[in-house]
Amino acid sequence: MQRLDRIFESSARSLAQRTSRRSFIGVLGQILTGSLLIPLLPIDRIQRAEAATGPEGSPAAPGKVPAAAKGKSASKPYTEDQQSCEYWKYCAIDGFLCSCCGGSSHTCPPGTQMSVVSWIGTCHNPADGRDYIVSYNDCCGKASCGNCDCYRNERERPLYRLSRNNDVNWCMANTGSDYHCTVSVILGSAGP
Amino acid sequence: MLPIALLGATAAVGAAAQAGPAEDYALHCMGCHGVNAQGVPGKVPPLAHSLVRFMNSVEGRRYVLRVPGAANSMLSDARLAAVLNWVVAQFDAGDLGRATPQFGAQEVAANRHRPMAGVLATRAAVLKEIAAGGPAPAAEY
């Protein structure tokens, strides 16, 4: 025990002879300053924030996330609500959701006609983990619905790539070319 | 009316990895030309029972590869050739009672980059040549 005391005493005296209290305070200050700077390092926190609040600060949409959706895109909210812009089938849509306008996600509201030409996209269905070809037809013949405006346009290109730009009234080839809302019709599987 | 048809010809988005011609047709052509390549009367030219006649004409082949919808599509030369060949096999098979010369990547590359200023005038001239040898597709596009 005495030996242990001697060891500690000698090491403490040695330390006291070599260093000052002022240097101790300096080192402590460096440690505190350094630890304060750690949060300023460039670390991606967007995914964690989106998982907690949704991509635009809205609360994460309710709904049970299927197993196939987990891990595939954990940062995206999952919803089965077809009146929500986040519904998987709307990944390339640009317009008012017909499900909020008296129709459904794939049928036009009464008094409108489905466009004969359409925008085509592919969307990933998290429920079964597969990709689907989706036709986005406008419903035509009545004034704009105005409900549930949804702009996602996945893989759209700027206007100078005209064949890949969706800033188009797809009612243009119909007799009544007034735009009312947009439906999303699954055409088939996009892969094997 | 013409711009509508041209714009619609390749209006599509998205692409499946390693897509075959059927998928390329769905993603790059079907939005306007329709599921059965029937087009929209007076607005979007049909491909069914029509493309085959262009492909059997020298000027028709050049025309098909230079129309804005085809020439400006996001498809590579080989994939554009493949999707055109697929359309004829799928919708025009047996129309002329003989085999249709297939498109290849080289022929596509040699034609698609030559801009076509007067689409209507070019189409009218091509249809005249086709009509000399048999029934011609509709002229109003």
Side-chain angles (χ1 to χ4, degrees):
Chain A
M1 198 64 178
Q2 281 185 340
R3 192 178 167 197
L4 198 64
D5 283 345
R6 277 201 303 276
I7 292 171
F8 273 100
E9 183 185 349
S10 66
S11 63
R13 285 183 186 280
S14 168
L15 183 68
Q17 284 169 354
R18 284 187 286 109
T19 60
S20 65
R21 278 174 293 183
R22 185 174 290 175
S23 75
F24 169 74
I25 292 171
V27 170
L28 183 64
Q30 284 178 351
I31 292 171
L32 289 175
T33 307
S35 58
L36 284 174
L37 289 175
I38 287 174
L40 301 180
L41 293 173
I43 300 167
D44 180 15
R45 298 180 183 81
I46 294 173
Q47 284 199 346
R48 199 171 52 185
E50 280 193 359
T53 64
E56 290 166 2
S58 57
K64 202 168 63 176
V65 180
K70 288 175 183 169
K72 180 82 180 178
S73 63
S75 63
K76 288 184 181 174
Y78 175 79
T79 179
E80 292 178 350
D81 179 6
Q82 299 194 12
Q83 294 189 339
S84 163
C85 188
E86 300 300 331
Y87 186 58
W88 71 271
K89 208 169 62 166
Y90 303 149
C91 79
I93 204 170
D94 177 3
F96 304 119
L97 302 180
C98 286
S99 50
C100 300
C101 302
S104 75
S105 72
H106 59 281
T107 56
C108 284
T112 62
Q113 297 82 41
M114 197 177 283
S115 65
V116 291
V117 292
S118 66
W119 178 247
I120 308 285
T122 54
C123 295
H124 180 77
N125 182 359
D128 61 9
R130 299 180 66 184
D131 295 328
Y132 289 89
I133 298 174
V134 183
S135 175
Y136 298 99
N137 292 70
D138 289 342
C139 295
C140 317
K142 283 170 74 172
S144 289
C145 160
N147 297 332
C148 300
D149 190 10
C150 183
Y151 179 91
R152 290 178 64 185
N153 269 333
E154 213 170 83
R155 291 187 292 274
E156 188 198 29
R157 296 290 178 269
L159 197 57
Y160 59 80
R161 294 302 318 217
L162 199 56
S163 65
R164 287 293 186 94
N165 186 273
N166 192 16
D167 290 334
V168 168
N169 175 8
W170 294 100
C171 292
M172 60 188 171
N174 281 50
T175 308
S177 58
D178 290 336
Y179 167 75
H180 187 65
C181 61
T182 305
V183 293
S184 312
V185 182
I186 297 175
L187 299 177
S189 174
Chain B
M1 192 169 293
L2 176 66
I4 292 171
L6 299 179
L7 174 68
T10 56
V13 64
Q18 302 297 321
E23 286 80 12
D24 277 341
Y25 178 79
L27 293 171
H28 296 270
C29 317
M30 191 175 70
C32 293
H33 288 289
V35 175
N36 296 312
Q38 75 280 9
V40 180
K43 313 244 176 173
V44 180
L47 299 175
H49 312 297
S50 173
L51 178 60
V52 67
R53 302 191 187 282
F54 288 95
M55 283 176 68
N56 277 279
S57 142
V58 174
E59 288 305 317
R61 293 175 74 84
R62 292 175 184 152
Y63 168 81
V64 163
L65 298 176
R66 293 174 64 207
V67 290
N72 298 333
S73 74
M74 301 287 277
L75 295 168
S76 68
D77 296 338
R79 284 170 65 180
L80 179 56
V83 78
L84 291 169
N85 294 334
W86 179 86
V87 167
V88 166
Q90 192 74 14
F91 302 110
D92 300 358
D95 271 17
L96 298 183
R98 61 175 186 271
T100 297
Q102 301 280 286
F103 280 125
Q106 280 190 329
E107 187 178 1
V108 173
N111 286 283
R112 76 185 296 185
H113 301 300
R114 294 168 49 223
M116 185 160 52
V119 180
L120 282 178
T122 308
R123 184 181 175 93
V126 170
L127 290 178
K128 207 170 173 181
E129 181 199 321
I130 294 173
E140 70 265 30
Y141 301 101

Short mmCIF file of all heavy atoms in Angstrom, two decimals, chain A residues 129-183:
data_model
loop_
_atom_site.label_atom_id
_atom_site.label_comp_id
_atom_site.label_asym_id
_atom_site.label_seq_id
_atom_site.Cartn_x
_atom_site.Cartn_y
_atom_site.Cartn_z
N GLY A 129 -42.39 -4.56 -53.85
CA GLY A 129 -41.00 -4.40 -54.28
C GLY A 129 -40.80 -4.43 -55.78
O GLY A 129 -39.68 -4.63 -56.25
N ARG A 130 -41.86 -4.22 -56.57
CA ARG A 130 -41.73 -4.30 -58.03
C ARG A 130 -41.97 -2.93 -58.66
O ARG A 130 -42.59 -2.05 -58.07
CB ARG A 130 -42.74 -5.31 -58.59
CG ARG A 130 -42.52 -6.72 -58.07
CD ARG A 130 -43.53 -7.69 -58.66
NE ARG A 130 -43.35 -7.84 -60.10
CZ ARG A 130 -44.15 -8.58 -60.87
NH1 ARG A 130 -45.16 -9.21 -60.33
NH2 ARG A 130 -43.93 -8.67 -62.16
N ASP A 131 -41.48 -2.79 -59.91
CA ASP A 131 -41.68 -1.56 -60.67
C ASP A 131 -42.84 -1.75 -61.65
O ASP A 131 -42.98 -2.82 -62.24
CB ASP A 131 -40.42 -1.18 -61.45
CG ASP A 131 -39.27 -0.85 -60.51
OD1 ASP A 131 -39.55 -0.33 -59.41
OD2 ASP A 131 -38.12 -1.12 -60.86
N TYR A 132 -43.62 -0.70 -61.83
CA TYR A 132 -44.77 -0.78 -62.73
C TYR A 132 -44.76 0.37 -63.73
O TYR A 132 -44.32 1.48 -63.40
CB TYR A 132 -46.08 -0.73 -61.93
CG TYR A 132 -46.33 -1.99 -61.13
CD1 TYR A 132 -45.83 -2.12 -59.84
CD2 TYR A 132 -47.02 -3.07 -61.68
CE1 TYR A 132 -46.03 -3.28 -59.10
CE2 TYR A 132 -47.23 -4.23 -60.96
CZ TYR A 132 -46.73 -4.34 -59.67
OH TYR A 132 -46.92 -5.49 -58.96
N ILE A 133 -45.26 0.09 -64.94
CA ILE A 133 -45.46 1.14 -65.94
C ILE A 133 -46.81 1.79 -65.65
O ILE A 133 -47.83 1.10 -65.54
CB ILE A 133 -45.42 0.57 -67.36
CG1 ILE A 133 -44.04 -0.05 -67.65
CG2 ILE A 133 -45.74 1.65 -68.39
CD1 ILE A 133 -43.95 -0.76 -68.99
N VAL A 134 -46.80 3.10 -65.52
CA VAL A 134 -48.02 3.83 -65.15
C VAL A 134 -48.31 4.88 -66.22
O VAL A 134 -47.42 5.62 -66.64
CB VAL A 134 -47.86 4.52 -63.78
CG1 VAL A 134 -49.15 5.22 -63.38
CG2 VAL A 134 -47.44 3.53 -62.72
N SER A 135 -49.55 4.92 -66.65
CA SER A 135 -49.99 5.95 -67.61
C SER A 135 -50.71 7.05 -66.84
O SER A 135 -51.65 6.77 -66.08
CB SER A 135 -50.94 5.32 -68.64
OG SER A 135 -51.45 6.32 -69.50
N TYR A 136 -50.25 8.28 -67.02
CA TYR A 136 -50.89 9.43 -66.36
C TYR A 136 -51.77 10.14 -67.37
O TYR A 136 -51.29 10.94 -68.17
CB TYR A 136 -49.83 10.37 -65.80
CG TYR A 136 -48.97 9.70 -64.74
CD1 TYR A 136 -47.73 9.20 -65.06
CD2 TYR A 136 -49.44 9.54 -63.44
CE1 TYR A 136 -46.96 8.55 -64.11
CE2 TYR A 136 -48.69 8.89 -62.49
CZ TYR A 136 -47.44 8.40 -62.84
OH TYR A 136 -46.68 7.75 -61.90
N ASN A 137 -53.05 9.79 -67.35
CA ASN A 137 -54.00 10.41 -68.27
C ASN A 137 -54.68 11.59 -67.60
O ASN A 137 -55.06 11.50 -66.42
CB ASN A 137 -55.07 9.39 -68.69
CG ASN A 137 -54.49 8.28 -69.54
OD1 ASN A 137 -53.73 7.45 -69.05
ND2 ASN A 137 -54.84 8.26 -70.81
N ASP A 138 -54.84 12.65 -68.35
CA ASP A 138 -55.60 13.78 -67.84
C ASP A 138 -57.09 13.51 -68.07
O ASP A 138 -57.47 12.83 -69.03
CB ASP A 138 -55.19 15.07 -68.54
CG ASP A 138 -53.80 15.53 -68.12
OD1 ASP A 138 -53.32 15.06 -67.07
OD2 ASP A 138 -53.20 16.34 -68.85
N CYS A 139 -57.93 14.05 -67.19
CA CYS A 139 -59.38 13.98 -67.40
C CYS A 139 -59.82 15.35 -67.93
O CYS A 139 -59.48 16.38 -67.35
CB CYS A 139 -60.09 13.63 -66.10
SG CYS A 139 -59.64 11.97 -65.54
N CYS A 140 -60.57 15.31 -69.01
CA CYS A 140 -60.76 16.53 -69.81
C CYS A 140 -62.24 16.91 -69.93
O CYS A 140 -63.13 16.07 -69.75
CB CYS A 140 -60.21 16.29 -71.22
SG CYS A 140 -58.61 15.44 -71.24
N GLY A 141 -62.47 18.16 -70.29
CA GLY A 141 -63.82 18.60 -70.60
C GLY A 141 -64.46 19.46 -69.53
O GLY A 141 -65.57 19.94 -69.70
N LYS A 142 -63.77 19.67 -68.39
CA LYS A 142 -64.28 20.56 -67.34
C LYS A 142 -63.13 21.42 -66.84
O LYS A 142 -61.95 21.07 -67.00
CB LYS A 142 -64.86 19.75 -66.17
CG LYS A 142 -66.24 19.18 -66.43
CD LYS A 142 -66.66 18.20 -65.36
CE LYS A 142 -67.03 18.89 -64.06
NZ LYS A 142 -67.60 17.91 -63.09
N ALA A 143 -63.47 22.52 -66.17
CA ALA A 143 -62.43 23.42 -65.66
C ALA A 143 -61.60 22.72 -64.59
O ALA A 143 -62.01 21.70 -64.02
CB ALA A 143 -63.08 24.68 -65.10
N SER A 144 -60.46 23.28 -64.30
CA SER A 144 -59.53 22.66 -63.35
C SER A 144 -60.20 22.38 -62.01
O SER A 144 -60.93 23.20 -61.48
CB SER A 144 -58.33 23.59 -63.11
OG SER A 144 -57.52 23.61 -64.25
N CYS A 145 -59.91 21.19 -61.46
CA CYS A 145 -60.49 20.78 -60.18
C CYS A 145 -59.92 21.62 -59.03
O CYS A 145 -60.64 22.11 -58.18
CB CYS A 145 -60.21 19.31 -59.96
SG CYS A 145 -60.34 18.77 -58.26
N GLY A 146 -58.61 21.74 -58.97
CA GLY A 146 -57.99 22.59 -57.95
C GLY A 146 -57.68 21.89 -56.64
O GLY A 146 -57.05 22.48 -55.76
N ASN A 147 -58.10 20.63 -56.47
CA ASN A 147 -57.84 19.93 -55.21
C ASN A 147 -56.60 19.03 -55.34
O ASN A 147 -56.35 18.43 -56.38
CB ASN A 147 -59.03 19.04 -54.83
CG ASN A 147 -60.28 19.87 -54.57
OD1 ASN A 147 -60.18 21.03 -54.17
ND2 ASN A 147 -61.44 19.28 -54.80
N CYS A 148 -55.88 18.89 -54.26
CA CYS A 148 -54.74 17.95 -54.16
C CYS A 148 -53.77 18.13 -55.32
O CYS A 148 -53.50 17.18 -56.07
CB CYS A 148 -55.23 16.50 -54.10
SG CYS A 148 -56.29 16.14 -52.71
N ASP A 149 -53.23 19.29 -55.45
CA ASP A 149 -52.21 19.53 -56.48
C ASP A 149 -50.98 18.68 -56.13
O ASP A 149 -50.49 18.72 -55.01
CB ASP A 149 -51.83 21.01 -56.52
CG ASP A 149 -50.96 21.35 -57.71
OD1 ASP A 149 -50.81 20.48 -58.59
OD2 ASP A 149 -50.44 22.47 -57.78
N CYS A 150 -50.52 17.92 -57.08
CA CYS A 150 -49.43 16.98 -56.80
C CYS A 150 -48.38 17.07 -57.91
O CYS A 150 -48.66 16.76 -59.07
CB CYS A 150 -49.99 15.55 -56.71
SG CYS A 150 -48.75 14.30 -56.30
N TYR A 151 -47.20 17.48 -57.55
CA TYR A 151 -46.12 17.64 -58.52
C TYR A 151 -44.96 16.76 -58.08
O TYR A 151 -44.29 17.05 -57.10
CB TYR A 151 -45.67 19.10 -58.58
CG TYR A 151 -44.53 19.35 -59.55
CD1 TYR A 151 -44.78 19.68 -60.87
CD2 TYR A 151 -43.20 19.22 -59.14
CE1 TYR A 151 -43.74 19.89 -61.75
CE2 TYR A 151 -42.16 19.44 -60.02
CZ TYR A 151 -42.43 19.77 -61.32
OH TYR A 151 -41.40 19.98 -62.21
N ARG A 152 -44.74 15.67 -58.81
CA ARG A 152 -43.59 14.80 -58.48
C ARG A 152 -42.69 14.60 -59.70
O ARG A 152 -41.50 14.77 -59.60
CB ARG A 152 -44.08 13.47 -57.90
CG ARG A 152 -44.67 13.69 -56.50
CD ARG A 152 -45.20 12.43 -55.88
NE ARG A 152 -44.17 11.43 -55.64
CZ ARG A 152 -44.42 10.22 -55.20
NH1 ARG A 152 -45.66 9.86 -54.93
NH2 ARG A 152 -43.45 9.35 -55.02
N ASN A 153 -43.28 14.24 -60.83
CA ASN A 153 -42.54 14.24 -62.10
C ASN A 153 -41.18 13.56 -62.04
O ASN A 153 -40.19 14.09 -62.54
CB ASN A 153 -42.35 15.68 -62.58
CG ASN A 153 -43.48 16.11 -63.48
OD1 ASN A 153 -44.11 15.28 -64.13
ND2 ASN A 153 -43.75 17.39 -63.53
N GLU A 154 -41.13 12.42 -61.43
CA GLU A 154 -39.86 11.69 -61.35
C GLU A 154 -39.31 11.43 -62.75
O GLU A 154 -40.03 11.00 -63.63
CB GLU A 154 -40.12 10.35 -60.65
CG GLU A 154 -38.97 9.86 -59.83
CD GLU A 154 -39.39 8.67 -58.98
OE1 GLU A 154 -39.39 7.55 -59.50
OE2 GLU A 154 -39.74 8.88 -57.80
N ARG A 155 -38.04 11.69 -62.93
CA ARG A 155 -37.31 11.47 -64.19
C ARG A 155 -37.75 12.38 -65.33
O ARG A 155 -37.42 12.14 -66.47
CB ARG A 155 -37.38 10.00 -64.63
CG ARG A 155 -36.59 9.09 -63.70
CD ARG A 155 -36.53 7.68 -64.26
NE ARG A 155 -37.81 7.02 -64.25
CZ ARG A 155 -38.29 6.37 -63.21
NH1 ARG A 155 -37.59 6.28 -62.11
NH2 ARG A 155 -39.47 5.79 -63.26
N GLU A 156 -38.51 13.44 -65.01
CA GLU A 156 -38.80 14.42 -66.04
C GLU A 156 -37.53 15.17 -66.41
O GLU A 156 -36.61 15.31 -65.60
CB GLU A 156 -39.85 15.42 -65.54
CG GLU A 156 -40.35 16.36 -66.63
CD GLU A 156 -41.02 17.60 -66.07
OE1 GLU A 156 -40.65 18.02 -64.96
OE2 GLU A 156 -41.89 18.16 -66.74
N ARG A 157 -37.45 15.66 -67.65
CA ARG A 157 -36.30 16.43 -68.11
C ARG A 157 -36.75 17.86 -68.44
O ARG A 157 -37.93 18.11 -68.62
CB ARG A 157 -35.68 15.78 -69.34
CG ARG A 157 -35.09 14.41 -69.08
CD ARG A 157 -33.84 14.51 -68.22
NE ARG A 157 -33.27 13.19 -67.92
CZ ARG A 157 -33.59 12.48 -66.85
NH1 ARG A 157 -34.46 12.94 -65.98
NH2 ARG A 157 -33.02 11.32 -66.64
N PRO A 158 -35.80 18.79 -68.51
CA PRO A 158 -36.18 20.17 -68.82
C PRO A 158 -36.85 20.28 -70.19
O PRO A 158 -36.78 19.37 -71.01
CB PRO A 158 -34.85 20.92 -68.82
CG PRO A 158 -33.92 20.06 -68.04
CD PRO A 158 -34.37 18.65 -68.27
N LEU A 159 -37.44 21.44 -70.43
CA LEU A 159 -38.25 21.62 -71.64
C LEU A 159 -37.44 21.43 -72.92
O LEU A 159 -38.00 21.08 -73.96
CB LEU A 159 -38.89 23.02 -71.61
CG LEU A 159 -40.07 23.24 -72.55
CD1 LEU A 159 -41.17 22.23 -72.28
CD2 LEU A 159 -40.60 24.65 -72.40
N TYR A 160 -36.12 21.65 -72.87
CA TYR A 160 -35.36 21.47 -74.09
C TYR A 160 -35.25 20.00 -74.48
O TYR A 160 -34.81 19.68 -75.58
CB TYR A 160 -33.96 22.12 -73.99
CG TYR A 160 -33.08 21.63 -72.87
CD1 TYR A 160 -32.37 20.44 -72.99
CD2 TYR A 160 -32.94 22.36 -71.70
CE1 TYR A 160 -31.56 19.99 -71.98
CE2 TYR A 160 -32.14 21.92 -70.68
CZ TYR A 160 -31.45 20.73 -70.81
OH TYR A 160 -30.65 20.28 -69.79
N ARG A 161 -35.63 19.08 -73.57
CA ARG A 161 -35.81 17.67 -73.96
C ARG A 161 -37.31 17.46 -74.04
O ARG A 161 -37.91 16.85 -73.18
CB ARG A 161 -35.19 16.72 -72.94
CG ARG A 161 -33.69 16.76 -72.81
CD ARG A 161 -32.90 16.48 -74.05
NE ARG A 161 -33.37 15.40 -74.90
CZ ARG A 161 -32.56 14.57 -75.54
NH1 ARG A 161 -31.26 14.67 -75.39
NH2 ARG A 161 -33.04 13.65 -76.35
N LEU A 162 -37.89 17.96 -75.10
CA LEU A 162 -39.34 18.04 -75.19
C LEU A 162 -40.03 16.68 -75.01
O LEU A 162 -41.09 16.58 -74.40
CB LEU A 162 -39.73 18.63 -76.55
CG LEU A 162 -41.14 19.19 -76.66
CD1 LEU A 162 -41.39 20.24 -75.60
CD2 LEU A 162 -41.36 19.79 -78.04
N SER A 163 -39.40 15.64 -75.54
CA SER A 163 -40.04 14.33 -75.45
C SER A 163 -40.04 13.79 -74.03
O SER A 163 -40.68 12.78 -73.75
CB SER A 163 -39.34 13.34 -76.38
OG SER A 163 -38.02 13.11 -75.94
N ARG A 164 -39.31 14.42 -73.13
CA ARG A 164 -39.27 13.97 -71.74
C ARG A 164 -39.77 15.04 -70.77
O ARG A 164 -39.41 15.04 -69.61
CB ARG A 164 -37.84 13.57 -71.35
CG ARG A 164 -37.37 12.27 -71.96
CD ARG A 164 -38.15 11.10 -71.40
NE ARG A 164 -37.62 9.83 -71.87
CZ ARG A 164 -36.72 9.11 -71.20
NH1 ARG A 164 -36.27 9.53 -70.07
NH2 ARG A 164 -36.31 7.96 -71.68
N ASN A 165 -40.56 15.97 -71.28
CA ASN A 165 -41.07 17.03 -70.42
C ASN A 165 -42.57 16.89 -70.26
O ASN A 165 -43.29 16.64 -71.23
CB ASN A 165 -40.70 18.40 -71.00
CG ASN A 165 -41.09 19.52 -70.06
OD1 ASN A 165 -42.22 20.00 -70.09
ND2 ASN A 165 -40.18 19.92 -69.20
N ASN A 166 -43.04 17.07 -69.04
CA ASN A 166 -44.44 16.81 -68.73
C ASN A 166 -45.25 18.09 -68.53
O ASN A 166 -46.36 18.05 -68.02
CB ASN A 166 -44.53 15.93 -67.46
CG ASN A 166 -45.91 15.38 -67.23
OD1 ASN A 166 -46.76 15.38 -68.13
ND2 ASN A 166 -46.18 14.91 -66.03
N ASP A 167 -44.70 19.23 -68.90
CA ASP A 167 -45.47 20.48 -68.78
C ASP A 167 -46.41 20.60 -69.96
O ASP A 167 -46.34 21.55 -70.75
CB ASP A 167 -44.52 21.68 -68.71
CG ASP A 167 -43.76 21.71 -67.40
OD1 ASP A 167 -44.27 21.16 -66.41
OD2 ASP A 167 -42.66 22.28 -67.39
N VAL A 168 -47.28 19.63 -70.07
CA VAL A 168 -48.12 19.49 -71.25
C VAL A 168 -49.55 19.24 -70.79
O VAL A 168 -49.78 18.53 -69.81
CB VAL A 168 -47.63 18.29 -72.11
CG1 VAL A 168 -48.65 17.93 -73.17
CG2 VAL A 168 -46.29 18.60 -72.75
N ASN A 169 -50.50 19.86 -71.49
CA ASN A 169 -51.90 19.54 -71.26
C ASN A 169 -52.24 18.33 -72.12
O ASN A 169 -52.38 18.45 -73.34
CB ASN A 169 -52.78 20.73 -71.63
CG ASN A 169 -54.26 20.40 -71.52
OD1 ASN A 169 -54.62 19.33 -71.03
ND2 ASN A 169 -55.10 21.30 -71.98
N TRP A 170 -52.34 17.17 -71.50
CA TRP A 170 -52.56 15.94 -72.27
C TRP A 170 -53.99 15.85 -72.81
O TRP A 170 -54.33 14.87 -73.47
CB TRP A 170 -52.19 14.72 -71.42
CG TRP A 170 -50.71 14.72 -71.13
CD1 TRP A 170 -50.12 15.12 -69.98
CD2 TRP A 170 -49.66 14.35 -72.03
NE1 TRP A 170 -48.75 15.02 -70.11
CE2 TRP A 170 -48.44 14.56 -71.34
CE3 TRP A 170 -49.62 13.88 -73.34
CZ2 TRP A 170 -47.20 14.31 -71.93
CZ3 TRP A 170 -48.38 13.62 -73.92
CH2 TRP A 170 -47.20 13.84 -73.21
N CYS A 171 -54.80 16.85 -72.52
CA CYS A 171 -56.14 16.90 -73.11
C CYS A 171 -56.10 17.46 -74.53
O CYS A 171 -57.13 17.59 -75.18
CB CYS A 171 -57.07 17.77 -72.25
SG CYS A 171 -57.46 17.07 -70.65
N MET A 172 -54.91 17.82 -74.99
CA MET A 172 -54.80 18.52 -76.28
C MET A 172 -55.40 17.74 -77.44
O MET A 172 -55.84 18.33 -78.41
CB MET A 172 -53.33 18.81 -76.56
CG MET A 172 -52.47 17.54 -76.65
SD MET A 172 -50.73 17.94 -76.74
CE MET A 172 -50.01 16.31 -76.56
N ALA A 173 -55.38 16.42 -77.36
CA ALA A 173 -55.90 15.64 -78.48
C ALA A 173 -57.37 15.27 -78.31
O ALA A 173 -57.94 14.58 -79.15
CB ALA A 173 -55.06 14.37 -78.68
N ASN A 174 -57.98 15.70 -77.19
CA ASN A 174 -59.40 15.41 -76.98
C ASN A 174 -60.27 16.52 -77.58
O ASN A 174 -59.79 17.62 -77.86
CB ASN A 174 -59.69 15.33 -75.48
CG ASN A 174 -59.27 14.00 -74.90
OD1 ASN A 174 -58.15 13.55 -75.12
ND2 ASN A 174 -60.17 13.36 -74.18
N THR A 175 -61.55 16.21 -77.74
CA THR A 175 -62.47 17.22 -78.27
C THR A 175 -62.59 18.38 -77.28
O THR A 175 -62.47 19.54 -77.65
CB THR A 175 -63.86 16.60 -78.51
OG1 THR A 175 -63.68 15.42 -79.30
CG2 THR A 175 -64.78 17.56 -79.24
N GLY A 176 -62.84 18.05 -76.03
CA GLY A 176 -62.84 19.08 -74.99
C GLY A 176 -61.46 19.12 -74.36
O GLY A 176 -61.08 18.17 -73.68
N SER A 177 -60.73 20.19 -74.58
CA SER A 177 -59.32 20.18 -74.15
C SER A 177 -59.10 20.88 -72.81
O SER A 177 -57.96 21.12 -72.42
CB SER A 177 -58.44 20.82 -75.22
OG SER A 177 -58.87 22.13 -75.48
N ASP A 178 -60.20 21.21 -72.08
CA ASP A 178 -60.03 21.78 -70.74
C ASP A 178 -59.49 20.71 -69.80
O ASP A 178 -59.99 19.58 -69.78
CB ASP A 178 -61.38 22.28 -70.19
CG ASP A 178 -61.85 23.52 -70.94
OD1 ASP A 178 -61.00 24.22 -71.50
OD2 ASP A 178 -63.07 23.77 -70.96
N TYR A 179 -58.52 21.07 -69.00
CA TYR A 179 -57.91 20.11 -68.07
C TYR A 179 -58.64 20.13 -66.73
O TYR A 179 -58.86 21.20 -66.15
CB TYR A 179 -56.43 20.43 -67.86
CG TYR A 179 -55.85 19.68 -66.69
CD1 TYR A 179 -55.55 18.33 -66.80
CD2 TYR A 179 -55.63 20.31 -65.46
CE1 TYR A 179 -55.04 17.62 -65.73
CE2 TYR A 179 -55.11 19.61 -64.38
CZ TYR A 179 -54.82 18.27 -64.52
OH TYR A 179 -54.33 17.56 -63.46
N HIS A 180 -59.00 18.96 -66.20
CA HIS A 180 -59.68 18.89 -64.91
C HIS A 180 -58.80 18.27 -63.83
O HIS A 180 -58.55 18.88 -62.81
CB HIS A 180 -60.98 18.10 -65.07
CG HIS A 180 -61.85 18.11 -63.84
ND1 HIS A 180 -62.43 19.27 -63.36
CD2 HIS A 180 -62.23 17.12 -62.99
CE1 HIS A 180 -63.12 18.99 -62.25
NE2 HIS A 180 -63.01 17.69 -62.01
N CYS A 181 -58.32 17.04 -64.06
CA CYS A 181 -57.47 16.38 -63.07
C CYS A 181 -56.72 15.24 -63.76
O CYS A 181 -56.88 15.03 -64.96
CB CYS A 181 -58.28 15.86 -61.88
SG CYS A 181 -59.53 14.62 -62.33
N THR A 182 -55.91 14.51 -63.01
CA THR A 182 -55.07 13.46 -63.61
C THR A 182 -55.27 12.14 -62.88
O THR A 182 -55.31 12.10 -61.65
CB THR A 182 -53.58 13.88 -63.52
OG1 THR A 182 -53.42 15.15 -64.14
CG2 THR A 182 -52.69 12.87 -64.23
N VAL A 183 -55.37 11.06 -63.67
CA VAL A 183 -55.46 9.72 -63.09
C VAL A 183 -54.17 8.96 -63.37
O VAL A 183 -53.39 9.33 -64.25
CB VAL A 183 -56.66 8.91 -63.66
CG1 VAL A 183 -57.97 9.51 -63.24
CG2 VAL A 183 -56.57 8.81 -65.19
#
